[in-house]
Amino acid sequence: MTDLISTPEVIVATASRISPVCKPQEVANIAWALVKLNISTKPTMQVLEAQAQRMFNDFNPQNVTNFCWALAAEHLSNPGVWEQVREFVSRRISEFKAQEAANLCWSFAVVKRKIECLVVVDAYWLSADFGHHPSTILSLTWALHYLQVTDPRLDMAKSILLSHGRHLDGEAKKQDAIISLIHDGSGDRTSLEPHVSLDLWDRVAVCKPAGWEVEEKRKDYNDVGHVRSLSVFLRCSVSKSPPIWLDDDFHYGFIHRLDVPGSGLVLAAKTYQAFYDLQFQLQSGQICREYLALCHGWAPWTPETETHLEYSISSQLGAPSYVGKGKPSRTSLFLLARCIKPDTGDALSLMRVRIWTGRTHQIRAHSAHVGHPIVCDGKYSSAATFQRDCTWCPRNFLHRHRLVFFNSAGEPLEITERLPLDLRDALSQVQACADGWSNESLDSFLRNGT
């Protein structure tokens, strides 16, 4: 399809020609496919949108769901179309499947249709037919958080998720069954091996080195050839692994990922209940994930100002993420120091980065999109820049150094991991600009890694 439809003009012309003779399902599926293939354009979607409005009464719930997803991914918010969706959903909400309800709420959240989203959420709670699937509840949680809804709906979502977790854990005395990790997290550590930063009875934080993947089934060969996995590391760290660490349907207990070339803190659950608790925290924005990054160029922001980047991202496995459409993404940047590489004269900025969403390569794609690619990032900087970076920095200069989350008792926990030695060695080769605050900040990271 992408070979035959090679230009935006051809795509628009083709859509204009075929949409009047398409069936409702075909209109919805064409819209879905164009967005999924990253070859959609707003004019194309507007052609399909106009045709869909004429045949909306002939749509079924799956057609509506697919079409709404495509419109939301393109950030098309024509009030007339969404009013038709609202009327359709209000009349036929009982016909939607659980996954369709989740996709609808995602679409409503992206285009800021709060009332429609709440209609679906409330119908979901009241309908026994939906079955209250955990994946759907997590999707609804994300949508409510994105729309800044804070009410008993979130409490209900958490309660149902924890109940699912307890059911999976069974009646065994799980606290007695979990054995503390063998690896000691104290003292100096090498940046080449993982280590445990925090070990609780039902959850653990591990520091991932560069070149390691989180789950062994993921192979990102475009970033690095041979990798080792944290999931295997954890299983080797105890005499008897918790069941969730053997369950690939639950990502071996891991709550989130880190790119293979990056390093830093990763959370994993030892029980299914903890897994759902942490997933709820993640989807409702309660987990703080903070990074340190060295970027090209002098960032225009001042050290007192946190800058928010909000660019949607779409991604395909193995390919760089594309900024401009797709899933909503938000990254916050805080300038720590402006620097210079003395031998080349390159301008650099040391940044503290927080992500509010967790899209593929989000920080790398966002920073490159605003003209400040991360040092030694072969995917998002030019080949010449990457080759020059490799002469003094051993790998992607991105490290997740701080996590804030809640334990099983609802108490906040904060853990930090200082900058690894390989990145501190690279940082020692740059000089701070003569502005006072840059020099002080850079010295602190070189001495302590924090």
Side-chain angles (χ1 to χ4, degrees), residues 65-142:
T65 301
N66 287 351
F67 194 72
C68 287
W69 180 90
L71 292 182
E74 281 286 356
H75 299 277
L76 293 175
S77 54
N78 181 342
V81 175
W82 291 102
E83 286 300 323
Q84 285 185 290
V85 173
R86 178 181 179 178
E87 181 184 350
F88 185 100
V89 171
S90 298
R91 285 188 289 109
R92 302 177 61 177
I93 184 62
S94 61
E95 300 176 36
F96 283 83
K97 298 176 182 177
Q99 188 57 53
E100 291 168 349
N103 290 343
L104 266 182
C105 285
W106 182 89
S107 303
F108 290 146
V110 171
V111 294
K112 304 295 186 181
R113 304 289 297 195
K114 183 175 180 178
I115 293 176
E116 289 86 343
C117 184
L118 294 181
V119 167
V120 177
V121 171
D122 290 341
Y124 182 81
W125 297 141
L126 295 173
S127 174
D129 296 334
F130 278 132
H132 291 170
H133 298 281
S135 61
T136 303
I137 295 173
L138 287 170
S139 296
L140 300 185
T141 299
W142 180 88

Side-chain angles (χ1 to χ4, degrees), residues 319-339:
S321 292
Y322 175 80
V323 173
K325 58 185 176 182
K327 297 179 179 180
S329 309
R330 184 185 184 193
T331 304
S332 296
L333 303 174
F334 188 92
L335 180 62
L336 295 171
R338 291 194 181 109
C339 312

Side-chain angles (χ1 to χ4, degrees), residues 308-360:
H308 302 298
L309 306 180
E310 299 199 39
Y311 301 103
S312 294
I313 288 178
S314 60
S315 62
Q316 294 181 349
L317 186 62
S321 292
Y322 175 80
V323 173
K325 58 185 176 182
K327 297 179 179 180
S329 309
R330 184 185 184 193
T331 304
S332 296
L333 303 174
F334 188 92
L335 180 62
L336 295 171
R338 291 194 181 109
C339 312
I340 295 176
K341 185 78 167 48
D343 53 340
T344 62
D346 287 348
L348 302 164
S349 294
L350 183 63
M351 313 291 295
R352 186 172 71 229
V353 185
R354 181 176 179 182
I355 57 172
W356 302 84
T357 53
R359 310 304 178 201
T360 302

Side-chain angles (χ1 to χ4, degrees), residues 151-183:
D151 62 21
R153 293 179 179 92
L154 286 176
D155 296 331
M156 186 179 295
K158 181 177 181 180
S159 176
I160 295 172
L161 288 169
L162 295 184
S163 177
H164 274 285
R166 286 191 295 270
H167 174 72
L168 291 172
D169 286 320
E171 299 301 323
K173 294 182 178 179
K174 52 184 177 294
Q175 295 190 32
D176 296 335
I178 303 302
I179 300 173
S180 293
L181 301 179
I182 294 170
H183 290 264

